[in-house]
Amino acid sequence: ADTNALLMGKTTKGHAHLMQRFVSGDKPYYNAFNSPIDACRAGAILEERMIAHLGSEWLPQYRVECEDMNVLRSTLDFTNLDKGKIVDFIELKSINFDDYLKIPLNGRLDFVKKKYKQYYRQVQQQLLCTGLKEATLRFLCVYSYDDSENWQRVINSNDYTDIRIERDDKVIKQIKERASIFQAIKDFYVI
């Protein structure tokens, strides 16, 4: 959500709210497992189930800071490391069955850029922070919003669709431009 707010128009409420949170120093803490929103809880639970599917070479919830602009940070859903260096990551998005069926077989990248622009931008910020050239955006089908069913779910490879996202220098440039004021504030006030 922060990436999307960062790239909104500078006069929008979303961008203003991001700036207000930033200068206030309040760091939000979200506990999706206790969310009253079914989709948030399902996403958090299914993320836990996905790590069981992926195996031990993937680390969950790995936080990375951009070397160029330390004001930019990202939490990667699943990270693959080699000798302590990030070599790949997966950004997981859980979507309901009806939306999952709308993902086309061809032209998936164009579909993501149009229908899920905020996710595309998020992956671009993650690519900026990691220095990687590409990563995977994974759409996982949600069959049920019942917590107990989701905790028991065994994820199979036919339950998700992977879309490889390459670094988009145009979007990354826009992220850096918009983040520059945040970096200036941090550099000025924070030691």
Side-chain angles (χ1 to χ4, degrees):
D2 288 348
T3 304
N4 206 40
L6 180 69
L7 295 177
M8 287 179 176
K10 293 177 186 176
T11 59
T12 63
K13 288 182 182 180
H15 191 81
H17 181 68
L18 177 65
M19 180 60 80
Q20 288 170 343
R21 275 192 305 125
F22 180 75
V23 297
S24 73
D26 290 338
K27 295 180 181 176
Y29 174 75
Y30 305 106
N31 184 351
F33 292 111
N34 292 327
S35 175
I37 302 168
D38 291 341
C40 289
R41 278 194 329 277
I45 293 167
L46 292 174
E47 196 170 288
E48 292 291 316
R49 301 307 303 145
M50 180 58 75
I51 196 64
H53 170 74
L54 287 173
S56 61
E57 74 260 18
W58 292 91
L59 299 173
Q61 298 298 302
Y62 192 86
R63 191 170 172 140
V64 62
E65 184 175 285
C66 180
E67 285 186 24
D68 296 341
M69 302 179 81
N70 64 4
V71 73
L72 295 173
R73 296 184 180 117
S74 291
T75 302
L76 310 173
D77 288 338
F78 307 105
T79 308
N80 189 315
L81 299 177
D82 183 27
K83 298 177 185 170
K85 291 189 81 170
I86 298 170
V87 294
D88 201 2
F89 69 85
I90 299 170
E91 177 60 32
L92 182 69
K93 298 299 179 188
S94 302
I95 60 174
N96 70 48
F97 182 72
D98 291 336
D99 287 339
Y100 185 78
L101 291 177
K102 293 175 186 172
I103 298 173
L105 296 175
N106 296 317
R108 289 180 174 163
L109 183 58
D110 292 334
F111 174 78
V112 167
K113 286 179 170 181
K114 184 176 181 181
K115 172 92 169 132
Y116 295 106
K117 187 176 186 177
Q118 72 275 21
Y119 300 158
Y120 180 79
R121 289 172 160 180
Q122 178 186 0
V123 172
Q124 292 304 321
Q125 181 169 326
Q126 292 168 326
L127 289 169
L128 170 62
C129 290
T130 61
L132 295 178
K133 293 183 180 179
E134 60 183 9
T136 299
L137 177 59
R138 176 170 289 176
F139 288 100
L140 175 64
C141 184
V142 178
Y143 301 115
S144 168
Y145 290 97
D146 180 277
D147 292 355
S148 60
E149 284 181 38
N150 285 327
W151 276 117
Q152 299 303 314
R153 182 168 168 191
V154 175
I155 295 175
N156 299 302
S157 58
N158 60 346
D159 292 331
Y160 57 84
T161 297
D162 286 347
I163 302 169
R164 202 68 179 161
I165 306 291
E166 293 182 0
R167 194 176 181 93
D168 183 333
D169 290 329
K170 183 179 176 186
V171 174
I172 287 176
K173 180 181 178 190
Q174 190 179 18
I175 291 168
K176 284 181 166 183
E177 286 172 354
R178 290 294 179 86
S180 64
I181 185 64
F182 292 87
Q183 186 68 52
I185 292 168
K186 181 177 182 188
D187 291 344
F188 186 80
Y189 289 104
V190 180
I191 298 174

